[in-house]
């Protein structure tokens, strides 16, 4: 198998985050057309955030605090919300000729105290060997300690990249990279992250916003895999290995 790319698309770019449950179909269709040529030629794993399809439900049922019989109803409610988004995304990829399939973490993953133990990597390896493009997403996942938890796309990306030995990892958001005092930080490492004011994302949610993204990608960097954060308009630049004007975490 040739070099594997993992591409994450933020929930804020695939849904309208100010409108609960509204999928940004036009944006996804545009992204699908851009991704298709690459997806047909290199092994690609796509992960997308939940945005307004999942975060409102997770908050309403307090899934992020753990699940007991009292709020277990929220498992299905939250999963169905993100599943609907995932199925729409995959359908639009398939319209562009990509052999994409839904890969729901709820059905394939297990967590322990909020961290993934297993994320379906063996199934995904088998898919990639056949030229299939798995599309994962932030989801509610059963947890051996807390009953169930929200596992973000930001956590899935490094877990998947490490398990697959991915060589290229990109995270596309609605901002041009990691911002500090209004400017893009070109490189983040363990050595300089403490001096950078990450602040809080304007779209901070149950999965931690931009700070959560950076923390997860630093864990990936600890494993020797660099990653890139950039604006959604630069997806093609990343996929074609061109300068994307964003942030590299290494």
């Amino acid at each position: 198998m040739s070099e594997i790319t993992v591409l994450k698309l933020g929930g804020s770019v695939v849904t309208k985050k100010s409108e609960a449950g509204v999928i940004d179909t036009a944006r996804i269709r545009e992204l699908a057309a851009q991704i298709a040529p690459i997806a047909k030629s290199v092994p690609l794993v796509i992960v997308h955030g939940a945005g307004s399809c999942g975060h409102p439900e997770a908050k309403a049922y307090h899934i992020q605090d753990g699940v007991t019989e009292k709020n277990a109803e929220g498992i299905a409610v939250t999963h169905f919300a993100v599943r609907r988004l995932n199925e729409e995304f995959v359908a639009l990829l398939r319209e562009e000729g990509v052999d994409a399939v839904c890969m729901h973490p709820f059905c394939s993953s297990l967590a322990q105290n909020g961290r993934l133990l297993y994320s379906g990597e063996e199934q995904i390896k088998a898919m990639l060997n056949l030229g299939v493009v798995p599309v994962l997403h932030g989801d509610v996942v059963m947890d051996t300690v807390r009953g169930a938890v929200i596992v973000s796309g930001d956590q899935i990306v490094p877990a998947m990249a490490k398990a697959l030995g991915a060589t290229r990892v990109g995270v596309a958001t609605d901002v041009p990279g990691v911002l500090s005092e209004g400017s893009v930080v070109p490189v983040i490492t363990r050595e300089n992250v403490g001096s950078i004011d990450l602040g809080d994302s304007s779209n901070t949610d149950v999965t931690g916003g931009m700070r959560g993204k950076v923390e997860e990608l630093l864990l990936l960097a600890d494993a020797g895999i660099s990653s890139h954060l950039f604006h959604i308009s630069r997806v093609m630049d990343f996929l074609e290995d061109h300068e994307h004007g964003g942030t590299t975490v290494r």
Side-chain angles (χ1 to χ4, degrees):
M1 190 186 303
S2 59
E3 297 182 342
I4 296 170
T5 295
V6 177
L7 174 64
K8 198 261 182 172
L9 304 169
S12 60
V13 300
V14 295
T15 69
K16 298 184 178 180
K17 290 200 78 171
S18 62
E19 302 177 54
V22 178
I23 300 172
D24 195 339
T25 303
R27 172 68 67 79
I28 295 175
R29 193 182 302 277
E30 178 183 334
L31 288 168
Q34 295 178 44
I35 292 168
I38 302 296
K40 294 172 186 177
S41 60
V42 302
L44 177 65
V45 177
I46 298 173
V47 182
H48 64 78
S52 66
C53 297
H55 287 301
E57 291 80 4
K59 286 182 178 179
Y61 285 92
H62 304 284
I63 302 296
Q64 66 272 28
D65 299 326
V67 176
T68 66
E69 290 185 3
K70 292 182 179 180
N71 63 334
E73 180 185 3
I75 293 174
V77 174
T78 303
H79 173 63
F80 289 149
V82 294
R83 182 174 184 143
R84 179 173 66 89
L85 169 60
N86 183 250
E87 290 174 349
E88 179 71 12
F89 199 130
V90 168
L92 292 170
L93 280 170
R94 295 189 66 83
E95 285 184 11
E96 294 293 332
V98 179
D99 189 10
V101 296
C102 300
M103 183 76 176
H104 306 302
F106 175 72
C107 304
S108 61
S109 302
L110 182 67
Q112 182 178 58
N113 202 22
R115 302 300 300 178
L116 281 169
L117 289 174
Y118 178 74
S119 51
E121 51 264 27
E122 294 305 318
Q123 294 99 309
I124 288 174
K125 288 177 184 177
M127 293 176 192
L128 294 176
N129 282 330
L130 295 175
V132 173
V133 177
V135 184
L136 296 85
H137 55 91
D139 204 350
V140 57
V141 170
M142 303 312 295
D143 188 290
T144 60
V145 175
R146 294 158 60 182
V149 294
I150 297 299
V151 172
S152 69
D154 293 322
Q155 186 184 156
I156 293 169
V157 166
M160 196 57 55
K162 286 186 283 188
L164 299 175
T167 54
R168 304 198 69 243
V169 178
V171 178
T173 72
D174 57 354
V175 293
V178 178
L179 300 176
S180 180
E181 298 181 352
S183 298
V184 173
V185 180
V187 177
I188 293 178
T189 66
R190 286 287 182 197
E191 287 68 36
N192 74 354
V193 68
S195 64
I196 299 170
D197 180 13
L198 294 174
D200 292 310
S201 167
S202 61
N203 288 323
T204 296
D205 50 44
V206 296
T207 59
M210 183 60 79
R211 183 177 295 277
K213 288 176 174 57
V214 171
E215 290 173 352
E216 294 291 349
L217 294 177
L218 282 171
L219 292 175
L220 184 58
D222 292 342
I225 301 175
S226 297
S227 57
H228 307 266
L229 294 104
F230 46 85
H231 191 267
I232 190 66
S233 64
R234 308 298 293 270
V235 165
M236 282 302 299
D237 288 328
F238 166 74
L239 291 174
E240 294 177 346
D241 202 18
H242 297 157
E243 173 57 44
H244 51 67
T247 302
T248 298
V249 181
R250 65 186 185 202

